[in-house]
Amino acid sequence: AGGSGTALARAQLSGTALQNLQVIWRQTPKVAGGTHYGARIAFRNDGTLYVAAGERGVENNSGAARTDGSGVQNAGNTIGKVVHLRLDGTPADGSALGIWSTGHRNPQGAAVRPGSNELWVTEHGPQGGDELNLVAQGRNYGWPVKSYGCNYDESKPKDAACRIGGGTHTGYVEPKAIWVPTSTAPSGLMFYDGNQFPDWRGNVFSGALGGTTLWRIVLDGNGNAVSRQEIGAVKSLG
């Protein structure tokens, strides 16, 4: 009733059945749209978790933020936000909503960097403008005011001139990596910390919904993306 939104539930798995299913968090407010749920979770080392919730398609790609109660830049909702929760669904920091960060469009990958509580997120932009972000507490990642993506208008060239809000995130957090001018629709995210491929330890891996591919992203000591490679063995499956 009242629309739809991202929700988080917990249960015990018994055989193939879920028992004691309990919804512990719901995105607010519910909206009529059926897109951009986000809906990724990542666990911290302290037993709390992050939920990356999408902006539900409520913002158009204009570079202007809505001022009503569903606007992403409105601090009174969990639209286009990452929230930090305890395992019972209550805010981990004791605030009313548990908002960790804001300005997100459609997070489709989330991972905590091994040995830390750093949250990394991949999210879909509009045409072009997909992002990899290091998501820090209290920071704003710019949507819908800034994006390296472009409006959904096939008549316009996909170059820097069409980037929403000019692209560069002045006043907001710059993404660590972007996919332009063509979207890859990143989905899923993980850090590799195994032993079989030592040269890849610490690298970030992201799948993609835009074609059959897997991205390997190398970070430097400051957390900046210094190179990006498509894994050929995966890409060839397409």
Side-chain angles (χ1 to χ4, degrees):
S4 60
T6 301
L8 178 68
R10 61 181 298 179
Q12 288 85 42
L13 181 64
S14 177
T16 59
L18 293 178
Q19 296 181 342
N20 302 317
L21 179 68
Q22 178 188 12
V23 176
I24 61 174
W25 178 84
R26 297 182 189 275
Q27 186 181 37
T28 56
K30 291 184 178 182
V31 300
T35 60
H36 300 180
Y37 284 89
R40 298 300 186 190
I41 64 174
F43 289 90
R44 287 169 47 121
N45 297 322
D46 59 5
T48 61
L49 59 89
Y50 299 108
V51 180
E55 54 87 83
R56 303 306 327 290
V58 300
E59 300 270 19
N60 60 28
N61 304 330
S62 67
R66 285 171 55 158
T67 58
D68 62 24
S70 295
V72 175
Q73 294 294 326
N74 187 325
N77 65 47
T78 51
I79 301 292
K81 310 292 195 296
V82 171
V83 295
H84 182 205
L85 306 175
R86 299 186 184 94
L87 296 185
D88 62 0
T90 59
D93 62 0
S95 67
L97 297 176
I99 294 173
W100 181 262
S101 60
T102 191
H104 302 284
R105 187 174 184 266
N106 189 20
Q108 289 291 332
V112 170
R113 192 172 192 171
S116 76
N117 282 319
E118 283 183 4
L119 176 66
W120 290 72
V121 165
T122 50
E123 54 187 285
H124 295 191
Q127 291 192 111
D130 297 333
E131 299 179 356
L132 170 68
N133 284 304
L134 169 57
V135 181
Q137 186 175 22
R139 305 301 295 275
N140 191 323
Y141 291 80
W143 184 257
V145 182
K146 299 287 185 178
S147 173
Y148 286 97
C150 296
N151 276 301
Y152 287 105
D153 184 346
E154 296 298 338
S155 67
K156 295 182 179 179
K158 302 303 175 284
D159 56 26
C162 73
R163 292 175 176 175
I164 295 166
T168 304
H169 287 37
T170 304
Y172 303 93
V173 180
E174 281 285 336
K176 294 297 186 180
I178 56 175
W179 283 263
V180 294
T182 303
S183 294
T184 192
S187 181
L189 189 69
M190 64 162 284
F191 284 87
Y192 180 71
D193 61 354
N195 296 317
Q196 187 167 358
F197 306 101
D199 291 344
W200 288 2
R201 286 183 63 88
N203 291 181
V204 184
F205 287 80
S206 173
L209 299 175
T212 304
T213 197
L214 176 68
W215 294 94
R216 179 175 71 92
I217 302 168
V218 180
L219 306 176
D220 66 15
N222 296 316
N224 296 310
V226 295
S227 67
R228 181 171 55 206
Q229 172 196 15
E230 289 187 88
I231 305 301
V234 176
K235 189 173 179 62
S236 67
L237 298 175

